[in-house]
Amino acid sequence: MKVFHRLAVSAAAACFSLGAMAVSAGQAAAGVFDSGIPSGWSCVGTCGASPADGVVTAPPSGATNYGWVSSNQGVSGVGLGLGGERTGSVLRTVAFTAEAGDELAFSFNYVTSDGAGFSDYAWARLLNSALVPVSLLFTARTTPGGSTVPGFGMPPIEATIDPATVTIVAGPPVWSPLGGSSGTCYAAGCGFTGWVQSTYSILAGGTYYLEFGVVNVLDSAYQSGLAFDGITVGGVIIGPQPIPEPMTLSLLGAGLIGLAAVRRSRREDKAAAAA
């Protein structure tokens, strides 16, 4: 009976271990935006989720969809208050908790049909539980020459980005979220950045929100947008958590059966000892 007991314990442990690994793998494979904008996220203006489209390729996370915000059909009153903002859009996550030292990571791609002196811009920032900005993570800005990311002439960023500086891939960008501006270009500065990786170490434990935004500057013509994906905090995605697949449930069920066998063998051992 002792041998059986050890085998049952080992089988149960193995099944639970496999089940946990399967759940973890399912979470890692799930894209934040594969089912659209996650429930509970808030959008002001125009936001959405799309697969590879035009100049914005499939996200580097391997997910099917990425999220985006666009100044197309945006609203007034958004931006960082730098001056000249007209219309734009903002997407904000649900509240999430993080510990000091947790890594906040995601990738982004800035796309703009505007150029010359019309310096549209995009950003991401971390907000505390009272929606007060804590960290400006990255900026991107239309400019005829120089650094598009971090945004030329904008406040310094606090995340680490890879590549460290990015100039625009010039040309009229074809991308559906730009609406009627897709495939158009107003002078030098239009184009897209390609996917850029951003990482930031949370300074203090607490409750936070992550915000993505884009805004037209000086006019509301020739739209700009921002794509983003792969958002994780401490290695865990911000978004819907996937339901374990049938294989995972089977493994967990096998683990429960193993534990039941362990309990039964213990009762039989006690009965034999009492006799």
Side-chain angles (χ1 to χ4, degrees), residues 138-170:
F138 82 83
T139 56
R141 191 168 201 173
T142 299
T143 177
S147 172
T148 300
V149 179
F152 186 81
M154 295 187 72
I157 65 173
E158 297 175 71
T160 299
I161 60 173
D162 184 18
T165 57
V166 183
T167 55
I168 206 78
V169 178

Side-chain angles (χ1 to χ4, degrees), residues 94-99 126-132 134 204-209:
V94 292
F96 62 91
T97 57
E99 300 296 332
L126 190 65
L127 314 176
N128 66 17
S129 59
L131 301 180
V132 175
V134 173
T207 300
Y208 297 97
Y209 298 84

Side-chain angles (χ1 to χ4, degrees), residues 77-162:
V78 303
L80 302 179
L82 304 180
E85 290 90 349
R86 293 294 184 264
T87 54
S89 301
V90 173
L91 179 66
R92 187 176 295 155
T93 69
V94 292
F96 62 91
T97 57
E99 300 296 332
D102 280 352
E103 182 178 86
L104 170 61
F106 56 86
S107 54
F108 65 91
N109 191 340
Y110 177 63
V111 186
T112 181
S113 65
D114 222 343
F118 295 93
S119 49
D120 298 355
Y121 67 83
W123 73 92
R125 60 184 177 177
L126 190 65
L127 314 176
N128 66 17
S129 59
L131 301 180
V132 175
V134 173
S135 300
L136 181 61
L137 302 174
F138 82 83
T139 56
R141 191 168 201 173
T142 299
T143 177
S147 172
T148 300
V149 179
F152 186 81
M154 295 187 72
I157 65 173
E158 297 175 71
T160 299
I161 60 173
D162 184 18

